[in-house]
Amino acid sequence: MAKNIQEYTVDEAWEEIEKNLQADPKPIEGLNVVYQYDITGEEEGTYQLHLSDGKAKVEKGTPAEPDCTLQMGASDFKDLLVGNLNGTAAFMSGKLKVKGDIGLAIKLESLLRKYDTSQYK
Amino acid sequence: MISFQLSDHQQQVKEIVHWFAENEMRPISMEADRLGKVPDEWLERINQLGIQLSTSSFGGDKQKSGSGEKKKTERQGNRLAVIASEELGWGDPAIALTLPGPGLGGPPVQSSGTPEQKERFLSIFSRDEPPRWGAYALTEPDAGSDVSGIRTTAKKVEGGYVLNGQKIFITNGGRASWVVVFATIDRSLGRAGHRAFVVEKGTPGFSCTRLAHKMGIRASETAELLFEDCFVPDENLLGGEEYYQAKASGPSGFRVAMKTFDNTRPIVASMAIGIARAAYEYTLDLVRREYPKQGSFYHRASELLADAELDIEAARLLTWEAAWKADIGQPNAKEAAMCKAYAGKIALDVCAKCLELLGPIGLEQHIVEKLYRDAKIFDIFEGTNQIQHLVTARQLYEPHGVRV
């Protein structure tokens, strides 16, 4: 249970995201958006988070056209997920790159903060 | 060697800050001006997003690439700061100055504080906590432009100093968790007697006596601070005793103040450029839509707009140069003064021209009218236009042995 987020692989981290979003869909209600994550460096890969009508689905690759794409390293990705890394600070320091609708990226950050991530820290 | 191409990172910062300015600042801009304050709920929400006004939030100097290989990255914090500030000024300068964070108090702590002081004073700004501010208090009723004239005294006592005096026009001075206060230990020593202290909110003898009602940037808090037998412990002397002993022959506290300006003047200049651009873009759009497409009105308008564009571009280039010099570690006092002098002046000129072009519609409850009011202070604070000219002249003539 109590495992630090950095001990998860990126694939496992995505499973956790899907699990958590599905368990509590309230914060994602009313959202219809496709986020794409381009993970660079170690554990390189592309993932998409599909949010629609309170449902969350994670896909590998690029099955859909993303509304907003976030590019970052695996370790920063995991830190960002649980709030160890501030999205705005990561962006300002160049750790995180955003393509597409910037507003959606900011929305995602505040959305993720509505989930309790203390078990992963 | 010379390039005006923004890097991907710089372009991204520009885009995201612009997004923020357009979608978060502009919608509350007129209301905040009317209220004379930025709504607290807004500040809390923004703080939770991790958005702060801090020059140190721009990495680059200590950055390591992910794989651990040591890549030498050029410092670019000053350039990112001016790029971001221009967009913030475009959004709303008063709200920009009210964003949580160390603000203008950050640079002196960053550049002159001990490692322990940096940790103690800069770590309190977090999105997981309520929004907090830092402030910078130099100006007094009888000393502003003439920094050497400060009268606030610091008397050495057992374990610290006792401060007495008054500070005026202090941005965020009332809400700040701490204020960098400049005082003199002995007026006869002149600049060598200056010391910078970090005074924390709630310190007995330290109070905010009044908030100023101003022509512009009304939503920004401008405070008057009073120090009455205010005891400040030794550990809050910025840089510690050693810092001043090592520089016993030098200008000490005065240097802390001046070093701060080299970093903050380009930021202030870029906000002024953002103000000018906001007025210019609005007016350009209106002229395109509403003005006749030929005839003397059109020509006259085109001429004014071309002047405005020229002024804005020139101010930006001066500002970028000042920021670039700071990033590569070259002295930039002259460039910082020049960009501030120029940008402060043209911001007001451009807004005035835009008001002329808008005619009656620009005069009442209008964003350009507000920008015009907001612009004036940029010609005054962080050193008046006259002081910027003086600094520039000193830098120019000192090598030739001419003291201005």
Side-chain angles (χ1 to χ4, degrees):
Chain A
M1 189 69 185
K3 203 161 100 171
N4 186 286
I5 188 68
Q6 291 295 346
E7 295 167 39
Y8 288 84
T9 65
V10 170
D11 278 339
E12 286 167 355
W14 276 112
E15 283 168 28
E16 294 297 310
I17 295 169
E18 205 173 43
K19 203 172 78 188
N20 277 287
L21 294 185
Q22 280 169 358
D24 176 16
K26 207 158 174 55
I28 57 170
E29 264 170 23
L31 279 172
N32 273 298
V33 57
V34 175
Y35 288 106
Q36 181 168 313
Y37 285 75
D38 293 340
I39 308 294
T40 57
E42 287 165 43
E43 297 191 67
E44 193 174 272
T46 299
Y47 299 81
Q48 287 191 339
L49 175 62
H50 294 232
L51 302 177
S52 66
D53 303 324
K55 288 197 193 71
K57 203 166 164 1
V58 175
E59 306 258 15
K60 236 180 150 166
T62 54
E65 187 65 31
D67 299 297
C68 174
T69 302
L70 300 105
Q71 190 191 82
M72 74 207 92
S75 157
D76 290 336
F77 164 68
K78 293 169 195 170
D79 277 343
L80 204 61
L81 272 186
V82 298
N84 284 341
L85 181 64
N86 171 342
T88 311
F91 185 90
M92 291 300 176
S93 64
K95 284 178 179 168
L96 165 66
K97 293 189 175 68
V98 179
K99 271 183 281 186
D101 188 337
I102 290 170
L104 285 175
I106 292 180
K107 206 176 215 170
L108 182 68
E109 165 88 357
S110 49
L111 188 149
L112 287 176
R113 297 286 71 75
K114 293 197 178 123
Y115 291 88
D116 179 15
T117 53
S118 51
Q119 58 163 320
Y120 301 107
K121 289 193 191 182
Chain B
M1 190 185 108
I2 293 176
S3 167
F4 297 106
Q5 178 84 47
L6 294 186
S7 70
D8 285 351
H9 183 193
Q10 290 165 339
Q11 186 62 37
Q12 283 251 303
V13 166
K14 183 177 160 66
E15 279 169 21
I16 197 167
V17 179
H18 185 79
W19 182 92
F20 176 75
E22 190 173 1
N23 295 284
E24 296 285 0
M25 298 173 95
R26 278 287 179 91
I28 63 157
S29 177
M30 296 303 283
E31 178 67 1
D33 184 65
R34 202 183 55 76
L35 288 172
K37 71 179 293 217
V38 181
D40 291 334
E41 318 82 70
W42 189 89
L43 288 167
E44 271 161 39
R45 193 166 58 78
I46 292 311
N47 189 60
Q48 280 166 6
L49 287 174
I51 292 164
Q52 297 192 335
L53 189 63
S54 160
T55 47
S56 51
S57 58
F58 301 104
D61 35 348
K62 276 185 286 179
Q63 224 176 45
K64 263 202 295 182
S65 54
S67 50
E69 91 210 50
K70 247 191 142 176
K71 210 166 65 177
K72 185 140 168 57
T73 41
E74 195 179 54
R75 252 167 58 94
Q76 55 167 344
N78 288 282
R79 276 170 289 180
L80 289 172
V82 297
I83 289 168
S85 307
E86 182 179 327
E87 301 310 315
L88 292 176
W90 182 94
D92 185 301
I95 299 173
L97 291 170
T98 312
L99 288 176
L104 295 176
V109 175
Q110 194 72 42
S111 66
S112 308
T114 64
E116 184 274 328
Q117 288 172 334
K118 285 186 207 177
E119 169 64 23
R120 186 151 49 102
F121 297 121
L122 298 177
S123 67
I124 63 163
F125 304 101
S126 159
R127 62 174 172 167
D128 301 322
E129 306 257 350
R132 294 199 177 107
W133 292 263
Y136 178 88
L138 183 66
T139 304
E140 298 180 3
D142 294 310
S145 290
D146 178 18
V147 176
S148 51
I150 57 171
R151 286 161 193 262
T152 296
T153 55
K155 194 165 153 261
K156 184 77 187 101
V157 293
E158 177 84 34
Y161 290 82
V162 171
L163 268 55
N164 274 291
Q166 191 193 7
K167 295 286 178 183
I168 58 170
F169 301 134
I170 310 307
T171 301
N172 295 325
R175 54 163 42 117
S177 297
W178 49 256
V179 183
V180 175
V181 179
F182 290 85
T184 174
I185 50 165
D186 182 351
R187 286 201 70 193
S188 67
L189 290 176
R191 289 171 180 178
H194 290 186
R195 296 289 183 273
F197 300 91
V198 185
V199 182
E200 292 164 82
K201 191 176 194 162
T203 305
F206 167 41
S207 59
C208 170
T209 45
R210 195 178 85 92
L211 297 179
H213 297 279
K214 311 180 296 301
M215 167 190 181
I217 56 165
R218 290 181 181 167
S220 163
E221 178 185 277
T222 306
E224 285 182 15
L225 306 179
L226 187 65
F227 301 89
E228 292 171 298
D229 292 328
C230 173
F231 175 79
V232 180
D234 282 329
E235 59 265 29
N236 284 22
L237 172 65
L238 203 55
E241 294 290 349
E242 304 77 33
Y243 181 80
Y244 294 96
Q245 268 152 20
K247 294 188 174 165
S249 53
S252 64
F254 181 73
R255 178 165 287 173
V256 176
M258 292 302 123
K259 239 160 111 181
T260 299
F261 286 139
D262 294 347
N263 289 309
T264 54
R265 279 176 182 154
I267 291 173
V268 169
S270 54
M271 274 192 199
I273 295 163
I275 295 173
R277 214 185 87 208
Y280 167 72
E281 285 177 3
Y282 183 96
T283 310
L284 179 66
D285 179 59
L286 184 120
V287 167
R288 274 183 185 144
R289 284 186 291 110
E290 306 284 332
Y291 268 57
K293 293 288 173 282
Q294 63 277 310
S296 60
F297 277 173
Y298 184 67
H299 287 294
R300 183 72 190 118
S302 307
E303 208 177 312
L304 282 178
L305 287 169
D307 274 347
E309 166 107 47
L310 194 154
D311 285 346
I312 292 168
E313 288 284 332
R316 185 184 293 122
L317 294 184
L318 281 173
T319 306
W320 281 6
E321 187 190 0
W324 168 72
K325 280 204 150 181
D327 276 344
I328 62 169
Q330 279 188 21
N332 75 333
K334 185 184 79 175
E335 288 75 12
M338 291 200 307
C339 72
K340 163 70 172 64
Y342 194 72
K345 180 177 161 295
I346 68 105
L348 199 63
D349 285 352
V350 168
C351 288
K353 283 173 186 154
C354 290
L355 278 180
E356 282 175 32
L357 289 170
L358 293 180
I361 54 164
L363 295 178
E364 205 181 340
Q365 297 272 307
H366 194 277
I367 183 172
V368 178
E369 180 260 352
K370 176 189 170 306
L371 288 166
Y372 178 73
R373 286 190 285 105
D374 288 349
K376 181 59 197 175
I377 188 65
F378 285 80
D379 207 24
I380 303 173
F381 66 6
E382 293 298 288
T384 64
N385 196 294
Q386 292 74 13
I387 288 295
Q388 309 303 338
H389 280 81
L390 184 65
V391 172
T392 306
R394 280 190 180 151
Q395 296 285 333
L396 280 174
Y397 298 119
E398 213 156 63
H400 306 291
V402 179
R403 173 94 185 131
V404 183

